[in-house]
Amino acid sequence: LLNRSSDLKFYLQIGAFKEKNNAFKMQQRVSAKGIKNVYIKKSRVKRQVLYRVRIGPIKTIDRYDQIINLLVSLSLDMDLVTR
């Protein structure tokens, strides 16, 4: 999935919320696990504002595995997003 020579940037989306405060809580919860590069991206979907909580960019498979292992204890439903 991820390879060391890729120029793509990978991101994990760990939540999408209607309320900014809920996105902020998720960001804080994940950051408390020692994961850096956690940010909130505001987007519009069918006239509705969503606050997506993402981690990234993730540049190597090793780092991806480390992050996944840290997130397992939080029981999050995650999606891999590429740009």
Side-chain angles (χ1 to χ4, degrees), residues 19-83:
E19 301 291 329
K20 187 175 184 177
N21 191 46
N22 291 336
F24 181 73
K25 287 178 186 176
M26 174 67 74
Q27 180 186 34
Q28 296 295 72
R29 185 175 166 206
V30 172
S31 294
K33 284 284 186 185
I35 299 171
K36 297 181 180 179
N37 298 339
V38 183
Y39 67 96
I40 298 170
K41 180 177 175 69
K42 182 179 177 181
S43 59
R44 291 188 187 277
V45 178
K46 297 181 182 176
R47 297 185 186 192
Q48 183 175 15
V49 174
L50 284 178
Y51 297 92
R52 302 174 190 267
V53 183
R54 293 184 174 175
I55 301 169
I58 302 167
K59 297 177 182 175
T60 67
I61 190 74
D62 293 335
R63 184 62 184 142
Y64 175 84
D65 288 342
Q66 290 171 350
I67 291 169
I68 292 299
N69 288 333
L70 287 169
L71 294 174
V72 165
S73 65
L74 298 176
S75 301
L76 301 177
D77 184 18
M78 297 165 281
D79 297 314
L80 185 66
V81 180
T82 62
R83 275 199 233 173

